[in-house]
Every structure is written in C-alpha cells, then in structure tokens.
Amino acid sequence: MFLTNLTLTNYRNYEYETLNFGEGVNVILGENAQGKTNMMEAIYVLAMAKSHRTSNDKDLIRWNEEYAKIEGRAEKRSGSLTLELLISKKGKKARCNHIEQQRLSQYVGHLNVVMFAPEDLNLVKGSPQVRRRFVDMEIGQVSPVYIHDLSQYQKLLQQRNHYLKMMQARERSDEAVLDVLTEQLVLLAAKITLRRRQFLSLLEQWAMPIHYEISRGAEQLCIRYEPSVDVSEKAELSRIVEAYSETFAAMREREVLRGTTLVGPHRDDIAFFVNGKNVQTFGSQGQQRTTALAVKLAELELIFSELGDYPILLLDDVLSELDDFRQTHLLDAIRKKVQTFVTTTSIDGIKHDIIQEAAIYRVHSGSVTAPS
C-alpha cells in the first residue's frame, strides 16, 4: 500500500498544495514551524479521520477559512483508491472512491498508517489513556466493527455517568433505568475487552522477536493486558459478560456514591515487561525506547498479516530521538517494503543509505518544493 498523491486545501498553514510521492522513502525537510508535521498529520487524518495532535477539528482549518480538505490517492493490492475528507465547523464528511461514507467507522481502514513520533515514546512511560488510545486506533484500522462498538460504548458510558450523577444528587432514584444502561454497557464492554486481548496477544507475538533482535539477544519482551475486570486470559465472551455483570453489581453502591462508572474498558491499561520487570517503573530510557520501537515495528507486521498490505509508516521527527543502532534497525526493517514519510530538520546526522536514496521535499512557510 502506498500513497501516490496528496492534495491539501486550507489545511493548517497550507492554502493549497498538491504533491506526488514515490513508493519508497519520502523525506519532508525543513526548519521548525514551517509545516512538516502538518503534512504528516494530514496523511494521518486522511487515513484515520482524526488527528493524533488535537481533538478539536477546528484546529485543522486554516485561519479565517470555513473548511479544510484533504484528498489522496493510494495504490493497494486490491486496486486504486481515492479518499477525500472535508473538515468544516459543522463536522466531517468522508468519501471513498467518490462515494460518501455514512459513518466514519465505514471510512477508517481503507488507508492504513502507523505513526511514530517523539510522543509515542510515552506509550511505555505515559498514562494509561495514551496506551488505550494506541490500542483503539490500531484495532480500528483492521476492524470497523470495533470502531462502531467503541463509539456506542462511549455514548452509553456518558449516559450512564450522567444518570449516576443525578442519582448521587438524589435527582433520580429509578434503579431500573440504571439496570438497563448497565446491561447495554456490559455487552459492549465485553466485546471491546475480548478484541483488545486478542489484538495485544498478536502484537506480542510480533514484538517479542523484534525486541529480542534490537536488544542484541539480551532482553525478552512481554505485553500484558490489564482489564478492569478479573477474567482469565482464555475467557470467552460469555464469561467476560458474566464477570462484568458481577463486578457492576458489586460496585453499584460505590458508583452511585461517586457518581461515575468505576469499571470498564475506559479504565483498562497495558503493561510492558522486559526480562520480567515492568519497563514503565524499572526500565531505563534506552529500554523504554527499544520497547516503543519494537511495538511500532510489530504494528507494521501485524497489519500486513491481517490485511495483506503493509501500512504507510510516518516517522515524525523521531529519527533524531533514536541512537545510531536503533535508527539503523528501524530503517533496515522498512527497506523496500514499506512506504515511509520522514520529517526532519536535517538529514546530515542520519547515517543510512536509504535516506541518501530518498525523495526530498523541502518545506518553507506552508509551501513545498518537490524533488526535480
């Protein structure tokens, strides 16, 4: 899978820009605050229908404009694909092969990307919310059903929390309403829990040998899913539903007292262990970075195994954050099989022939000079 063309209209600091890309490595070169990351973000938004940098879509629209538009053309094993995302102050409209998609969950997954940016190093040492978001975004690329279930869960969670707040304030006391909301939430929570567990099991299978190689055979990586309910690693959906029902029943009085939902996928976490020790707590910065890199490279292989196409890799100012050995391992891993976009202020410090062979796009003040 590779992106052959990208057109930006009123996107961030780009008034209008259209570019063609090669199948290999494309370097976006320029000083800071010129628009390198904005272009990288645009590719990510075209694929995922949301930004990795902001939750406010209005931030994506050029100053004093009414809308932003991202258009792209991609080549996949299944054929050519045209994508269009219109972002306005009223919301988003997505088209795939010129057909408007009724739901964004139907749109996401047509173009697959893996983003690796400096903030992704927080995947290991950051908050549980960072790790949950990572898992949700990656599963969503290979499973539209998961996006739908997660969206429904979040809506129900909001309703349930609102009702618990009213019960806490004694504005409502009908427990039958809470029962209905809980029953609906339980099934969705169980489906999400099961899918996350399956995904993380596959991710671990791919990440373990990659991590072992990067650590020169010195370290063994394990990824542990930590759901907010106590279920065995082999529990079926029916048993997970049962566990959630039992937990909600036991937590009922506390939830009313606190006015919020205390268990569910929104409180899950993931733990990374190297040689039996939690990397977040006991790992060195080097071990944390090796873990993050192994996980990102594992994503590429997992998506390929699921879809038969490698995703596009976006390296946003991350090469300078890696030492020479990890940098070389990353670039060797993608050689001639993954279309890659790299943003950097300079290629002088990148000691790899793959960069010397790359197409260089120079960015200055929201204008791009393509390679001749």
Side-chain angles (χ1 to χ4, degrees), residues 5 105 121 183 220 245 337 355:
N5 174 268
S105 61
L121 296 170
E183 185 178 347
Q220 190 81 22
S245 297
K337 66 179 182 180
I355 295 298

Side-chain angles (χ1 to χ4, degrees), residues 52-53 61 165 201 270 301 351:
H52 65 294
R53 297 160 72 197
I61 303 172
K165 282 283 184 192
S201 176
I270 306 152
E301 300 299 338
K351 301 172 183 177

